[in-house]
Structures are given as C-alpha cells and as structure tokens.
Amino acid sequence: MPKATLNVKLLDVTENALALIYSACRQCYAEEFAGDIFDKIKDDDKKQAAFIKKIIASGHESPLEHVKFTFAIEGVSRALTHQLVRHRIASFSQQSQRYVKENDFDYIIPSSIEKNSEAKNEFEKLMATIQQSYTKLLTFLGQDNLSGEAANQDARFVLPQAVETKIIVTMNCRELLHFFKHRCCSRAQWEIRNLAEKLLADCKSRLPLLFSQAGAKCVTLGFCPEGARFCCGKFPVKEEAEGGKVAK
Ligand SMILES: Cc1cc2nc3c(=O)[nH]c(=O)nc-3n(C[C@H](O)[C@H](O)[C@H](O)COP(=O)(O)OP(=O)(O)OC[C@H]3O[C@@H](n4cnc5c(N)ncnc54)[C@H](O)[C@@H]3O)c2cc1C
C-alpha cells in the first residue's frame, strides 16, 4: 500500500503534425487539393511555421484538431481523474475498479497532509483501515457466491478518492490549449495542475511552434481574467493591465 507518484509517458503524436495543420488551413482558402498541398509542403518547415503562426494568431483554431497527443498517466488519484474526464473533447481509457481488484491499493497523499505528522498518521491509518474493510467485503461477498467483477464493483464503494489510478488520454491540440488555459492556472487544484504542467512540457518539446506560448489563460492574454480575489499575482488583473483601478 505505498504512496504513488505521478508518471506520464507520451505514447504517440500525430505524424507530420505541422504539414497536416498547414494543409488543413490552406484547404480553406485554396482552389488546390489539400492532398497535393500536403505533398509539396511536407519538407518546408519554414513555410509551414510562418503560415501556422498567422493562422493561430487570427483565432482560426479548427485546423489544430487534426493533430493529437496520447499520454499514458499513472500515479494519480481518482480525485484527479474525476476532474480530468470533465474535459469532453478528449478520449479516455481508465483502469477499471470492476476488473482490477484493489487488493493492495496505492494512494496519493496531498503534500499538506504529508508534511503534518499528525495528519499524515491519521491519513495512513485510514488508508490501512479502508484496505482491510475492502478485503473483508470481498470475503463476505464471496460467501454469497459473488466473485470477480461482481464482487469488486460493490466492494469498491468503500475506496477513497485518494486511490491511485491509471488512465490513457488523447487530446487534439485545440483541446490541449484549452485544457492548459484552465488547468495550468493557479486556481486549478494542485494535482491536476501538476499533471497539466507535465503534459505541457511534453507538448512544448514535441511541437514548440504551437505550445511555446501556451499555459494558463494569463500567459496568452498578458493579464489575469480571474479578478483581484483570485489572481495569483503572476500577471496584473485586467483592470490594472488597462491602467484602471482594481476593486479588492
Ligand atoms: C478552477 C476550476 C474550478 C472548477 N470547479 C468546478 C466545480 O466546482 N464544479 C463543477 O461541476 N465543475 C468545476 N470545474 C469544471 C469545469 O466546470 C468544466 O467542467 C471543466 O473544466 C471542463 O471544461 P470545459 O467544459 O470548458 O472543457 P471541455 O469539455 O474540454 O470542452 C471544451 C470546450 O468545448 C465546448 N463545449 C464542449 N461541450 C459543449 C457543450 N455541450 N455545449 C457547448 N459547448 C461545449 C466549450 O467551449 C468548452 O469550453 C472547475 C474547473 C476549473 C478549472
């Protein structure tokens, strides 16, 4: 029952990403067939980059949907994945608590709890108790001839949100930019923010042209749209950025 830590592996990125985005953008404005445009442009990185920058700046984002990133993620809590799967323009495959027994489940400890010895002790005691109850429930259900997923699916009702889970997520670049705007913000919960920062680092290294300026909303706007109450201070709030007074 050890403590689990975040691990992310980038499994796949659409090949010829920039040529694809370029061809999709060009098809909107060109008489020529995108199939021919793609073949001609495939090796001209400079031309692709210049055109794509202009297109993104204009807000024409749908061509970005043709390029996808797939990540395998482990060492995260069910509390995190409950938030992650709220992003509807993405595909998910998550480890099942019906088909996979939580016999010796790992869990995530928030750092606030970990650094407080009393809180940590209480937390770890509770995890051990839950593990025992879960295992006992499987035994009791077994006495009623319930086993496998039929038993797991009911015993899991006692599992905590802290329980470790594994998930594969695929998002297209437009959705990734949207995800980073919300989840890299200091207002996002710490665990999903850590994950978002990790995914952003992978995206930046694979497709810097699209992601080097990506991040929380403030990073792209140059000001914080959350208002004075929620602003973390990295950027001025909107009124300040516009030279006005800030209501606190
Ligand atoms: C700081 C923070 C706090 C939050 N607190 C809460 C909370 O207290 N309670 C809670 O329930 N949720 C909360 N959420 C979750 C939030 O409300 C969203 O469900 C989640 O962030 C997914 O965002 P989304 O819908 O924009 O993204 P996606 O589902 O990824 O959608 C991307 C975009 O596609 C468009 N879109 C998708 N589906 C539709 C649709 N059906 N109709 C119209 N347009 C659509 C929208 O423009 C949307 O922004 C919180 C999120 C954050 C970042």
Side-chain angles (χ1 to χ4, degrees), residues 19-223:
L20 258 182
I21 296 170
Y22 178 90
S23 308
C25 291
R26 291 302 303 231
Q27 187 64 98
C28 302
Y29 311 112
E31 272 181 35
E32 206 181 351
F33 173 47
D36 299 325
I37 297 172
F38 181 84
D39 290 339
K40 275 194 238 161
I41 196 72
K42 218 158 57 137
D43 301 316
D44 190 344
D45 293 353
K46 267 196 182 156
K47 197 167 175 186
Q48 292 170 30
F51 189 73
I52 290 170
K53 266 191 193 163
K54 261 200 300 193
I55 286 294
I56 299 171
S58 78
H60 182 180
E61 290 185 334
S62 61
L64 307 184
E65 294 170 19
H66 297 289
V67 173
K68 296 188 172 78
F69 280 68
T70 298
F71 297 95
I73 299 162
E74 66 172 357
V76 291
S77 69
R78 279 246 165 187
L80 180 147
T81 57
H82 184 78
Q83 299 173 79
L84 183 62
V85 300
R86 295 291 301 279
H87 291 277
R88 296 157 288 179
I89 320 295
S91 306
F92 302 101
S93 303
Q94 181 163 16
Q95 185 178 63
S96 165
Q97 289 179 332
R98 296 180 71 213
Y99 297 104
V100 180
K101 232 185 247 323
E102 297 283 7
N103 265 337
D104 187 22
F105 69 79
D106 294 341
Y107 50 79
I108 313 304
I109 308 185
S111 65
S112 60
I113 293 178
E114 187 157 40
K115 63 187 183 210
N116 176 323
S117 59
E118 279 179 316
K120 185 177 180 214
N121 185 35
E122 187 63 30
F123 188 92
E124 289 181 336
K125 238 175 31 194
L126 183 61
M127 292 300 124
T129 305
I130 291 173
Q131 179 70 80
Q132 280 170 9
S133 297
Y134 174 85
T135 310
K136 272 188 204 164
L137 285 172
L138 288 180
T139 309
F140 297 148
L141 294 170
Q143 289 160 3
D144 292 337
N145 293 323
L146 284 178
S147 62
E149 69 261 28
N152 300 344
Q153 71 185 359
D154 290 347
R156 70 172 164 170
F157 274 63
V158 299
L159 292 172
Q161 295 210 46
V163 72
E164 191 265 350
T165 184
K166 303 181 199 315
I167 191 164
I168 287 193
V169 55
T170 299
M171 288 190 195
N172 68 49
C173 291
R174 189 182 193 181
E175 178 66 356
L176 279 163
L177 290 170
H178 175 79
F179 177 76
F180 296 141
K181 278 183 188 162
H182 291 277
R183 303 299 182 174
C184 290
C185 172
S186 66
R187 285 202 68 194
Q189 182 258 349
W190 61 266
E191 193 186 10
I192 196 164
R193 192 170 68 242
N194 289 348
L195 172 69
E197 295 291 354
K198 179 82 191 68
L199 302 190
L200 177 57
D202 282 350
C203 290
K204 275 185 181 173
S205 80
R206 291 301 288 265
L207 266 186
L209 184 70
L210 286 195
F211 291 102
S212 61
Q213 303 301 315
K217 291 183 283 273
C218 56
V219 174
T220 34
L221 293 171
F223 63 85

